Each structure stands twice: as structure tokens, then as C-alpha cells.
Amino acid sequence: MYKETNKRSIVKGISWRIVATTTTIIIVYAFFGRLDLAIAAGMIETVLKIALYWAHERIWQKLRWGKQRIEPFNLWFTGLPLSGKTTIADKVYEELKKLHIPLERLDSKDIRDVVPDIGFSREERNRHMKRIGHLIKTLQNNSVSTVASFVSPYRESRKAIREMVKNNVVVYLKADVNTCKQRDYKGVYEKALKGELQNFSGVNDVYEEPQHAEIVIDTTKTAVDEAVVTIVKYIKKNYVK
């Protein structure tokens, strides 16, 4: 979360004192009819009250009483390739950023660009998911929530993620293979059908549907913006109050 800096506290103090000092000068002048006395009283009060206000703010900053910690969460988007994971997750991330909470975006393509040659066999994918789980766990230890989008086709890898991280929210974006093929602007389904891509989820490898997803959205029937509203509403209700 964010910490109040000394500079911010001082500026807040000055802005408040402009209002308060003006009020003091008016009151003193109204009672005594002496402008010099009113201005002197206002100036003395200004210096003392700014110092007292700063000290008061720093003391309260150190006190935990009355503060509610926002527990970090992990939004885990899963579904077939081209089911809408990246598109919806990107928009959800932008909406959640407006809440001013520490937040990071993780996408399978970005991670594979950083760590190439991971492989797509079941064993390699499961091992890769555990790496992602450790990354999310590290971010959560620093109070950072995450919006992650990965095909993650196997139940055991999704279970491993759930066991590793806090407040894991699985968002299953449901779409049949034919619909995903129609959205295939990259031509990856065609390559998989021709045998040019192996271990491709939904074609020559399995996709095991989540059995315990917190949110299930059928992207063949639900518009992107509608899906975003549903997901953001869930996070606001359960984690950001």
C-alpha cells in the first residue's frame, strides 16, 4: 500500500493552515479591532500548528489501530487458446488499477518471452506453473495482487497454484473449440490441426475444465465488457471494500 510522505504531510498542513489562520485573524480582529494583533496571533498560531499537525500525522501513521489491510489476491484466468483470456484480463487489470491497489499483470506470452524454451509437455507445463506460483507468492508477500492469464490446461497445475498462493480466484472463460477457431487471427489452430504444433490444448492435447472455479463466464454468450463488470464486481465485494 501507499505510505504518507513527509512532503505530503507538510503540504496538507500548509493548505489547512491557510484556511485556519485566516479564520483566526478574522476572529481576533473582530474581538479586539486591531489588525496588527490579529496578524501576529495568526502567524504565531500558523508556525506552531503546522509543527503540531506534522507530529500528529506521523504518530498516527505508525499506529495500526483502525487500519484495514487489503489482502492480496490472485485472479487466475484459464481457458482454451483464444477463449478471451488476455483480452478480458487486460481490461480487468485496467479497471482494478483505478482502485489504487498494488497490482501486477502476468500473461503467458510475456512470461514465455522472458523465459524461452519452456516446452509444452504436461510435465514441462506443470513445472512452469509452479514457477509462476512462486512468482505470485513472492509478489503477495509484498502485498501485491496479480491478474494472471494462462491456458493452464491441467487440473493438477491449477491445484498447485491454489495451494501456493493466497486468495486465488479462478476465472474460467468457457468457449468451445469451434468458436476459438473462428477467433484464430494467429492461425495457431490451423497449424495444430495440420500437426505443425504439438501439445496444443483442445486439438492434440487435453484441456481439463476447472471443477471449482469461482467465476465461470461463457465467452460465446457474454460480451467482453459484461464479463469485466462481473469479475471486477466480485473482487470489490470480496477483497477491496
Side-chain angles (χ1 to χ4, degrees):
M1 297 303 294
Y2 296 96
K3 179 182 177 182
E4 185 90 357
T5 64
N6 287 344
K7 182 185 290 186
R8 178 180 168 87
S9 293
I10 290 171
V11 171
K12 283 169 62 180
I14 291 172
S15 67
W16 166 245
R17 287 319 306 163
I18 290 173
V19 176
T21 299
T22 302
T23 303
T24 299
I25 291 173
I26 292 172
I27 291 173
V28 172
Y29 182 74
F31 273 92
F32 297 98
R34 289 181 55 185
L35 185 59
D36 59 336
L37 181 62
I39 293 175
M43 293 301 100
I44 293 171
E45 183 204 37
T46 297
V47 174
L48 291 176
K49 290 289 181 68
I50 287 177
L52 289 172
Y53 177 84
W54 178 85
H56 181 265
E57 284 285 294
R58 303 324 292 173
I59 291 170
W60 273 101
Q61 183 68 33
K62 293 180 179 180
L63 295 176
R64 291 188 178 181
W65 181 84
K67 289 183 178 180
Q68 184 177 9
R69 183 175 183 267
I70 297 176
E71 288 294 329
F73 57 85
N74 174 51
L75 263 175
W76 187 268
F77 288 81
T78 179
L80 285 170
L82 280 302
S83 60
K85 296 183 300 299
T86 298
T87 299
I88 295 175
D90 283 345
K91 290 202 169 189
V92 167
Y93 173 71
E94 291 302 322
E95 286 299 311
L96 292 178
K97 278 205 308 183
K98 296 176 184 178
L99 302 178
H100 303 292
I101 58 176
L103 191 66
E104 287 293 337
R105 176 76 174 91
L106 304 175
D107 185 73
S108 58
K109 182 182 181 302
D110 297 332
I111 299 297
R112 283 187 177 271
D113 286 344
V114 174
V115 188
D117 304 321
I118 294 170
F120 289 90
S121 70
R122 192 173 190 122
E123 181 182 354
E124 288 171 318
R125 277 178 157 173
N126 285 339
R127 187 163 57 245
H128 180 50
M129 288 299 98
K130 288 183 179 179
R131 294 193 194 103
I132 302 301
H134 282 295
L135 174 58
I136 294 171
K137 185 177 179 181
T138 300
L139 290 168
Q140 288 190 335
N141 288 339
N142 290 279
S143 299
V144 179
S145 296
T146 44
V147 176
S149 50
F150 294 83
V151 174
S152 50
Y154 310 127
R155 290 186 183 129
E156 65 262 28
S157 60
R158 295 194 299 266
K159 181 181 178 182
I161 293 292
R162 189 180 291 278
E163 291 173 350
M164 292 174 70
V165 308
K166 301 175 184 175
N167 303 320
N168 189 61
V169 179
V170 173
V171 181
Y172 172 35
L173 298 183
K174 191 173 183 179
D176 57 74
V177 173
N178 288 330
T179 300
C180 293
K181 285 179 186 177
Q182 294 173 9
R183 300 171 179 169
D184 187 13
Y185 62 94
K186 299 177 181 178
V188 289
Y189 274 91
E190 185 179 352
K191 290 180 180 179
L193 289 167
K194 290 179 179 178
E196 296 175 14
L197 294 177
Q198 297 299 315
N199 304 112
F200 191 87
S201 302
V203 178
N204 46 35
D205 195 10
V206 298
Y207 177 82
E208 300 170 348
E209 292 191 2
Q211 297 175 315
H212 307 288
E214 280 72 20
I215 302 173
V216 178
I217 294 175
D218 188 340
T219 60
T220 64
K221 301 176 181 178
T222 307
V224 170
D225 290 341
E226 185 181 349
V228 171
V229 169
T230 298
I231 298 164
V232 171
K233 185 177 179 180
Y234 181 94
I235 292 299
K236 286 182 176 179
K237 178 181 178 181
N238 293 280
Y239 298 105
V240 186
K241 310 225 174 151

